[in-house]
Amino acid sequence: MASNTQYQWVQFRAPFYEGWIQGRVGVNREKQPAQISSGIVLNHVNLNGLKSVLADLARVDGTLESQINFRGYPDYDLNGKVDIQEARFNDFEFIRQFADYFDLPSLQNVIFNRAISKFSVNKTAIRLYDVHLFANNVNVDGYFRLGRNDLVSSKFSLMLTRALMEASSHLKPLLKLVDKKIDPLKFDFQLSGQVDSLNFQWAQSELKKKIQDSLPSFIERIIERKIETAVDSAPVN
């Protein structure tokens, strides 16, 4: 955040959707156009209440802690981090499609005990990074970058416990191919290309190598296509 003495600062703190909002906003009027810098902290904010203000939050339920920094003209930059407790994603299409395709109904309405991410928005890219979602039987880690010309670069890992995979007639056979000491099992994915026509790849990993070493290549490809179908059928919003 800017600390230049040319800035005039206003500090504030107020109740905000069952929690608190506090921070400061500074304006440098000696520059034309005026330069703005701000830092905001949200504590224990009920996301359900925020839905009437920000429509995109209709996809998420939970309690929000967040730090947000903004710098205006000429180097626009918005960055910060979010931490959501008891996070329920109402439109998490990849997880929903994965659950449908691999017969895992318990993933349909998964509640993440905690969802954490850092974010950055500027003239060159939109980034979500250091993403970590924690639930009882599934964790998700990764990053997402949307750059110029709507080009996407993303990698993420889906970690499923053996107990969860045992409930899937599609995934249960994979457990026989991997050491019983490995739990959870980690599936790595990569997305790239235009935002409306993403290329999906089941990325190389220790788990995939073990599967490759144990299966004929044509069976491996069948498994990969199932995962690709689950991803491809999920619309990008």
Side-chain angles (χ1 to χ4, degrees):
M1 190 190 309
S3 59
N4 196 307
T5 56
Q6 295 175 331
Y7 278 79
Q8 295 178 324
W9 295 96
V10 174
Q11 299 189 40
F12 59 90
R13 187 174 190 269
F16 191 69
Y17 294 100
E18 302 181 23
W20 290 90
I21 181 172
Q22 59 187 326
R24 66 175 190 163
V25 178
V27 179
N28 180 359
R29 299 185 183 278
E30 295 184 11
K31 300 289 185 178
Q32 293 297 325
Q35 294 180 342
I36 299 174
S37 181
S38 65
I40 297 173
V41 175
L42 301 174
N43 296 116
H44 208 71
V45 173
N46 185 341
L47 287 176
N48 189 54
L50 269 178
K51 291 175 184 178
S52 60
V53 180
L54 297 172
D56 282 346
L57 290 178
R59 301 180 182 185
V60 189
D61 292 319
T63 302
L64 172 68
E65 307 281 333
S66 181
Q67 295 181 7
I68 305 169
N69 302 307
F70 174 75
R71 184 177 65 244
Y73 179 88
D75 299 315
Y76 295 102
D77 184 75
L78 176 70
N79 66 78
K81 59 183 179 180
V82 295
D83 187 338
I84 305 173
Q85 307 288 331
E86 298 300 310
R88 183 194 298 272
F89 294 87
N90 301 315
D91 193 17
F92 200 158
E93 281 295 327
F94 170 69
I95 291 289
R96 188 179 69 80
Q97 294 290 348
F98 193 96
D100 279 346
Y101 204 87
F102 289 100
D103 187 27
L104 289 167
S106 62
L107 283 185
Q108 287 287 359
N109 295 299
V110 63
I111 296 177
F112 291 96
N113 304 321
R114 195 175 182 192
I116 306 169
S117 179
K118 296 178 182 178
F119 64 88
S120 173
V121 181
N122 54 42
K123 293 179 180 179
T124 60
I126 299 173
R127 296 172 60 224
L128 296 174
Y129 60 102
D130 290 348
V131 177
H132 305 287
L133 311 180
F134 304 98
N136 292 334
N137 286 313
V138 56
N139 292 343
V140 181
D141 292 339
Y143 74 86
F144 177 90
R145 184 182 188 277
L146 177 61
R148 296 184 183 276
N149 302 317
D150 288 338
L151 286 175
V152 170
S153 173
S154 176
K155 290 183 179 180
F156 62 97
S157 299
L158 184 64
M159 285 156 282
L160 307 177
T161 64
R162 284 181 167 270
L164 181 68
M165 293 177 65
E166 285 278 358
S168 168
S169 58
H170 298 286
L171 295 177
K172 185 176 179 179
L174 296 182
L175 296 176
K176 299 176 181 178
L177 307 176
V178 183
D179 191 319
K180 292 182 179 180
K181 295 180 181 179
I182 299 178
D183 189 14
L185 279 72
K186 181 181 178 183
F187 296 85
D188 294 323
F189 304 99
Q190 182 171 318
L191 296 173
S192 61
Q194 294 287 334
V195 69
D196 58 352
S197 57
L198 291 175
N199 299 314
F200 166 81
Q201 182 181 8
W202 182 12
Q204 193 65 40
S205 66
E206 183 178 351
L207 173 62
K208 185 175 181 180
K209 185 177 186 304
K210 289 180 182 295
I211 293 173
Q212 287 174 321
D213 292 342
S214 303
L215 292 176
S217 59
F218 75 92
I219 296 181
E220 172 204 336
R221 185 54 188 155
I222 289 173
I223 296 172
E224 192 168 49
R225 283 175 178 168
K226 285 183 178 181
I227 298 175
E228 288 176 354
T229 300
V231 174
D232 291 342
S233 58
V236 177
N237 295 314

